[in-house]
Every structure is written in structure tokens, then in C-alpha cells.
Amino acid sequence: MMKEGRCYEQHDFQVLVLSEFSKRRASTEKEKWELQREYLRLIDKMPQMWEEFVQKHKNIYDRFGYLDVIVHDDLRVERKKLKRGRPKEDTSKSHRITVRLDDELYQILQKYCRTKKITESEAIRRLIEELK
């Protein structure tokens, strides 16, 4: 099991790590005391863990102001990888066409786009919709 979260500062990181740690259960009194000692060591180590993690991923932290973190059940931490590419739209446009226009038609299209404050692609889509 693992836990994921977005960490803007050390407190967020600490909450995330400790929430994963809290899933541990002791079955004996001795294990209970050992877990308490481990918890206190973890609290003491937290500022250093956060600083090392931020330094390791400094370029991402500086760019976005946060780090998406994955905490594993053995308390290893890693940065969640960034998703690549443009987000998918609800209605993806899978067909591309190329059109050659003379100067006069191109000027008409440009004027229409400026008037409506839309892109050339959107203008052509709207005009095609009128053909329905």
C-alpha cells in the first residue's frame, strides 16, 4: 500500500508520511513501545527528510511550488512523475486538413477572425457547422 499527496511545505510532507506510518499496528506491548520510539525518531528526522527531498527535486519544486509525493508502506518517499502532453479534450479533434487560399480569401478570413475574436481554425469550424 502507499499514499499519495501534494506537498507545498514540510507540514504537508509530515502529515502524509505520518498518515502512512499510522497504519502500522503493534500486536504486543513490546512492539507498541518500539512503534512509539520509531514515531519519535521519525518526527525528529522529518525536517531533514523534507529538505533532502526538496533538494533532490529542486527544479520541479521551484517551478511549481509543490511536489507530488508517494509514500510507500516502508516509508520510502518518491516524487510522482509528471504527466506528459496536452490534456485530452472532451471532443478530440482527430482530423486535420490543410487549405490553400489566395490573398483575397485569406484577408476575408483574417477580418472575420478579428471581428469575432476567434482563431482561424475556430472560424472554419463554425462556417462548416453552418453547412448542416
Side-chain angles (χ1 to χ4, degrees), residues 85-97:
R86 181 182 290 187
K88 299 289 183 206
E89 295 180 10
D90 292 340
T91 57
S92 67
K93 296 161 184 76
S94 57
H95 300 284
R96 174 179 288 225
I97 61 169

Side-chain angles (χ1 to χ4, degrees), residues 93-108:
K93 296 161 184 76
S94 57
H95 300 284
R96 174 179 288 225
I97 61 169
T98 305
V99 179
R100 292 187 179 272
L101 301 174
D102 61 24
D103 289 340
E104 182 183 354
L105 288 177
Y106 185 70
Q107 292 303 321
I108 293 169

Side-chain angles (χ1 to χ4, degrees), residues 40-69:
L40 293 174
R41 282 193 299 265
L42 192 57
I43 292 290
D44 287 342
K45 266 181 32 178
M46 200 60 66
Q48 179 187 353
M49 287 174 64
W50 171 246
E51 285 304 316
E52 288 173 1
F53 195 72
V54 168
Q55 282 303 314
K56 184 176 180 181
H57 306 289
K58 188 166 178 35
N59 58 340
I60 301 293
Y61 187 70
D62 288 346
R63 187 180 341 153
F64 296 110
Y66 64 83
L67 291 169
D68 287 328
V69 179

Side-chain angles (χ1 to χ4, degrees), residues 109-127:
L109 178 61
Q110 290 293 305
K111 183 178 177 185
Y112 180 82
C113 291
R114 280 193 304 272
T115 306
K116 301 289 185 182
K117 293 185 170 82
I118 58 175
T119 65
E120 294 170 357
S121 296
E122 184 59 30
I124 292 169
R125 279 188 213 100
R126 287 183 185 182
L127 294 169

